[in-house]
Amino acid sequence: MFAATPKPPYYAVIFTSVRTQGDNGYDDMAERMVALAAQQPGFLGVESAREEIGITVSYWESLEAIKNWREHTEHTIARQQGREKWYEDFRVRICKVEREYGI
Amino acid sequence: MFAATPKPPYYAVIFTSVRTQGDNGYDDMAERMVALAAQQPGFLGVESAREEIGITVSYWESLEAIKNWREHTEHTIARQQGREKWYEDFRVRICKVEREYGI
């Protein structure tokens, strides 16, 4: 249910977004991007929920792993389509996770 | 819609959770905690969504602001109730936001 992340430090990308109306291929692409991200070196997990806004947090071993995923060709094309048709607006925040604890 | 955070660095608390069945006073308390957090020194904003899991990200100026909010009496009581009746499970991740960009 939660991403099974290791002992910190590691990195998180907090992606918050507001969708446009209609699917327009979004669900298929989102599913594909999660599957593709999970194959990348340094990927640690992902957590996602959407109501008024969507929040997706992906976790990574290093800033280099985040950069490599950002530069992945298929992901770059998907991001371009995201800006053009799927998202009204979004924010991306790159973070270093310093501490983690559970229940 | 999104938290109006300043230029990094600042801090984020990523709270992911799975709720128990039923409301049991949860919605009222969650609303109260957001209102109370917004009054704390160093609070920058909050973003939240829930589907299978809930993700709430609150943003803060400093680790000290996070610590002060953690030690706030009413928040401490709410967290105790959370562990006892509202959450099946949760994770808390304390992060330093290093970079932010938008659409």
Side-chain angles (χ1 to χ4, degrees):
Chain A
M1 194 66 91
F2 300 124
T5 44
K7 191 165 151 40
Y10 54 89
Y11 288 83
V13 179
I14 305 173
F15 176 75
T16 47
S17 63
V18 176
R19 289 271 286 108
T20 51
Q21 293 291 317
D23 183 68
N24 303 313
Y26 173 79
D27 281 353
D28 287 346
M29 181 63 86
E31 193 176 322
R32 168 72 183 150
M33 283 304 115
V34 169
L36 193 61
Q39 293 169 22
Q40 304 309 305
F43 176 84
L44 298 174
V46 63
E47 295 165 336
S48 200
R50 177 174 300 280
E51 286 181 307
E52 283 182 85
I53 66 166
I55 306 177
T56 296
V57 188
S58 59
Y59 299 100
W60 301 86
E61 277 177 9
S62 65
L63 288 174
E64 190 186 3
I66 293 169
K67 181 172 180 284
N68 289 341
W69 170 234
R70 187 175 161 75
E71 292 174 357
H72 187 291
T73 305
E74 197 174 336
H75 184 209
T76 301
I77 294 167
R79 288 207 314 283
Q80 185 58 38
Q81 290 186 291
R83 278 188 293 271
E84 287 169 5
K85 62 181 181 182
W86 293 319
Y87 299 117
E88 288 284 357
D89 202 358
F90 65 74
R91 295 287 182 280
V92 178
R93 292 176 173 101
I94 313 289
C95 314
K96 183 178 188 176
V97 181
E98 299 187 343
R99 292 202 302 136
E100 173 177 348
Y101 53 92
I103 205 157
Chain B
M1 192 67 93
F2 301 123
T5 45
K7 192 165 149 42
Y10 54 88
Y11 289 83
V13 179
I14 305 172
F15 177 74
T16 47
S17 63
V18 175
R19 288 271 286 109
T20 51
Q21 291 292 316
D23 183 68
N24 304 312
Y26 173 79
D27 281 353
D28 287 347
M29 182 63 86
E31 194 176 322
R32 167 73 184 149
M33 283 302 116
V34 168
L36 194 60
Q39 293 169 22
Q40 304 308 306
F43 175 85
L44 297 175
V46 64
E47 296 165 335
S48 200
R50 178 173 301 280
E51 286 182 306
E52 282 182 84
I53 68 167
I55 307 178
T56 297
V57 188
S58 59
Y59 300 99
W60 301 86
E61 279 177 8
S62 65
L63 288 174
E64 190 186 4
I66 292 170
K67 180 171 181 283
N68 289 341
W69 170 234
R70 187 175 160 76
E71 292 174 357
H72 187 291
T73 305
E74 197 174 334
H75 184 209
T76 301
I77 293 167
R79 288 206 315 282
Q80 185 58 39
Q81 291 185 290
R83 279 188 293 269
E84 286 169 5
K85 62 181 181 181
W86 293 318
Y87 298 117
E88 289 285 357
D89 200 359
F90 65 75
R91 297 287 183 279
V92 179
R93 292 177 173 101
I94 314 288
C95 314
K96 183 178 190 178
V97 181
E98 300 187 343
R99 292 201 303 136
E100 173 178 348
Y101 54 91
I103 205 160

